[in-house]
Amino acid sequence: MSLPVSDHRSTELEGPKEQPKSPNLKSTVKSFLSHLTPLHHAFLLVVILSQVILVLYVTRNPKLSPSSESPAQPSPEFQAVAAAAAVDKCDSRWIYVYNLPPMFNYELKNNVCNQTNYCDRYSNDDFGPAAKELAGIVPESILPAWYWTDVYSGDVLYHGRMLNYKCRTLEPESATAFYIPFYAGLAVEVEHHWRLEMFIKSVQEDKWWKRSNGSDHFIMLARTTWDFRRSREDDGWGSSFLSVPEILEHVVHLSVERNMWDDLEVAVPYPTVFHPRSESDIVEWQSFVRSRQRNHLFTFLGGPREFIENGLRGALQKQCLDEPIACRQVDCYGNNCGIDGTKAIMAAFLDSDFCLQEGDTVSKHAVVECMLAGSIPVFFSPETAYWQYELFMPVDPESYSVFIHHDDVSNGTDIKRVLGGYGREEVERMREKVIEYMPRFLYAKSSQGLEETRDAFDIAIEGVLSKYKAHMERGRIGNWNEI
């Protein structure tokens, strides 16, 4: 049985409601008709007559079976109504995409190829090389939906989706928000700091920026927020992009790890290796991970950091190595987690009930890879997910994860004993919640997204628009302006 795609809206059925009395219904209809123009009356009459004719035709032709035949193509009238409904859904949601000079995006992609010799990084519509190595690990029917996607490719992927966004407008005067397709993450990676400076100067001269000082603009940064809050004198890496007042105090910025004190920053999931082509891909994968036989209690991903005395990672690794039957370790120290390593990671997550989440920064891409495999994440800091991905994860942390404070681990808390204390029913309940929320941290393969399911991109854009609305109700958008 397939799992319904999750949504925050309640799925409980409402109780029976009292039927309205006929006078109220009649008055309602009269009120509705009184507001229609003659043209609307004519259109409504055509729709009603067409439906009557269709019913008569079907009832007089027994060869037509509504239960077994393919559905007929919608009529032009129906298509017109559907198009109008789509426009209504975009009311106050129109987004204008800047057409920036290629030096701020496409040329940066080319430079990554030239400077890193990793030219297939943005192959297959920017999703990366096909993950053929996962054959035998994931079902063959959905293997074409798996790619070795770079975890820092969000700026490129979001740009592709925004160009095909259902509520994109080509008329900036009608836009609710403005998307800036500047690949700031790639500019940092190839050390093109001068492009950052040139971009800031260029965008500030734009007419629509000046209208609001950029307060209705947003950008996808693709890397952790800390990569954009450094000075060049620090260690030669990163940029001071988010230290520029015009950006920091006005522009909503998406990143894979946010600064919790920055009111205009939204954390979004790292891209995973699974990019469903349709809802059926998701349902099949959900069914696969639900029925998976798991042979280990938990998995630890990573190696110790010798330069960190009494570090949490070293303590976790020691506990894992001391319990080889309960714990499965994947050592990613150094450069052991390339493509083959990622294959080993997915196999380990699929084989374990729980996965320990500890990384170089508070967040890590393994969180979504772990949950993608139907493994239950174990966090040691609330910043790893609870304070990062509120839009994408269940409201109740205990419904899908385990929290063990890092100080408790340092003081000798036995991970195996804590996780082994969860009964089978509790484990399955948490896994089911992970599976339910799975679509919310996936990025669909199609540039138009999925038909009925909201993926991570859809939820991120909804979050941006909600943030605009909240700030506008306070008078204007910008940091430090909370009331």
Side-chain angles (χ1 to χ4, degrees), residues 389-400:
Y389 307 116
E390 300 96 329
L391 297 175
F392 306 89
M393 302 297 184
V395 175
D396 179 12
E398 293 183 354
S399 68
Y400 77 99

Side-chain angles (χ1 to χ4, degrees), residues 96-107 159 163 179-184 199 202-203 206 217 219:
Y96 179 79
V97 180
Y98 274 98
N99 184 22
L100 298 180
M103 65 178 296
F104 294 127
N105 39 52
Y106 298 115
E107 287 183 8
H159 188 192
L163 291 176
Y179 169 66
I180 309 171
F182 173 47
Y183 300 168
F199 161 75
S202 174
V203 74
D206 183 80
H217 288 53
I219 188 171

Side-chain angles (χ1 to χ4, degrees), residues 364-432:
K364 56 184 300 188
H365 67 87
V367 172
V368 287
E369 301 290 358
C370 156
M371 297 178 68
L372 173 62
S375 191
I376 300 164
V378 181
F379 300 122
F380 303 93
S381 169
E383 299 175 67
T384 304
Y386 304 151
W387 297 348
Q388 290 289 332
Y389 307 116
E390 300 96 329
L391 297 175
F392 306 89
M393 302 297 184
V395 175
D396 179 12
E398 293 183 354
S399 68
Y400 77 99
S401 66
V402 174
F403 180 74
I404 305 173
H405 198 280
H406 54 81
D407 288 341
D408 293 337
V409 177
S410 300
N411 292 330
T413 294
D414 189 327
I415 302 295
K416 176 186 174 183
R417 178 174 298 178
V418 173
L419 300 181
Y422 287 88
R424 180 47 49 186
E425 289 186 2
E426 291 180 283
V427 171
E428 295 304 327
R429 173 182 54 79
M430 286 190 285
R431 175 170 296 116
E432 198 61 41

Side-chain angles (χ1 to χ4, degrees), residues 156-168:
V156 180
L157 295 179
Y158 271 70
H159 188 192
R161 285 289 293 273
M162 285 306 312
L163 291 176
N164 296 276
Y165 184 53
K166 60 185 177 182
C167 295
R168 179 191 176 190

Side-chain angles (χ1 to χ4, degrees), residues 41-251:
H41 277 288
F43 176 74
L44 184 60
L45 180 61
V46 169
V47 173
I48 294 174
L49 289 176
S50 64
Q51 297 302 312
V52 171
I53 293 172
L54 178 61
V55 171
L56 292 175
Y57 178 72
V58 171
T59 56
R60 294 192 179 194
N61 287 271
K63 294 181 179 180
L64 296 178
S65 172
S67 61
S68 61
E69 296 293 327
S70 300
Q73 293 296 320
S75 66
E77 294 85 358
F78 179 85
Q79 292 178 350
V81 173
V87 171
D88 289 340
K89 290 182 179 180
C90 290
D91 186 34
S92 299
R93 299 173 60 86
W94 294 107
I95 297 179
Y96 179 79
V97 180
Y98 274 98
N99 184 22
L100 298 180
M103 65 178 296
F104 294 127
N105 39 52
Y106 298 115
E107 287 183 8
L108 285 169
K109 281 176 54 178
N110 294 333
N111 289 342
V112 167
C113 172
N114 296 332
Q115 295 187 25
T116 66
N117 293 321
Y118 188 7
C119 294
D120 59 352
R121 176 174 175 178
Y122 294 106
S123 59
N124 295 314
D125 298 323
D126 299 323
F127 290 98
K132 299 178 182 178
E133 292 82 0
L134 290 177
I137 295 179
V138 306
E140 182 180 357
S141 58
I142 60 173
L143 182 60
W146 294 73
Y147 298 86
W148 298 124
T149 305
D150 190 275
V151 296
Y152 296 124
S153 62
D155 42 12
V156 180
L157 295 179
Y158 271 70
H159 188 192
R161 285 289 293 273
M162 285 306 312
L163 291 176
N164 296 276
Y165 184 53
K166 60 185 177 182
C167 295
R168 179 191 176 190
T169 178
L170 301 179
E171 301 173 350
E173 59 273 8
S174 64
T176 302
F178 293 77
Y179 169 66
I180 309 171
F182 173 47
Y183 300 168
L186 289 184
V188 169
E189 188 170 339
V190 295
E191 298 183 353
H192 283 190
H193 301 286
W194 59 272
R195 296 195 193 225
L196 294 169
E197 299 167 358
M198 184 176 293
F199 161 75
I200 294 172
K201 180 179 179 181
S202 174
V203 74
Q204 286 179 308
E205 297 175 352
D206 183 80
K207 169 184 176 180
W208 303 105
W209 174 282
K210 291 181 179 179
R211 185 181 68 174
S212 63
N213 288 325
S215 292
D216 49 6
H217 288 53
F218 71 99
I219 188 171
M220 171 56 180
L221 298 178
R223 305 187 69 89
T224 70
T225 185
W226 316 111
D227 288 333
F228 303 96
R229 298 177 185 269
R230 305 186 182 190
S231 64
R232 287 188 223 169
E233 292 76 22
D234 286 345
D235 55 10
W237 168 257
S239 78
S240 58
F241 186 69
L242 289 181
S243 298
V244 178
E246 292 81 359
I247 302 295
L248 176 66
E249 299 179 12
H250 297 279
V251 178

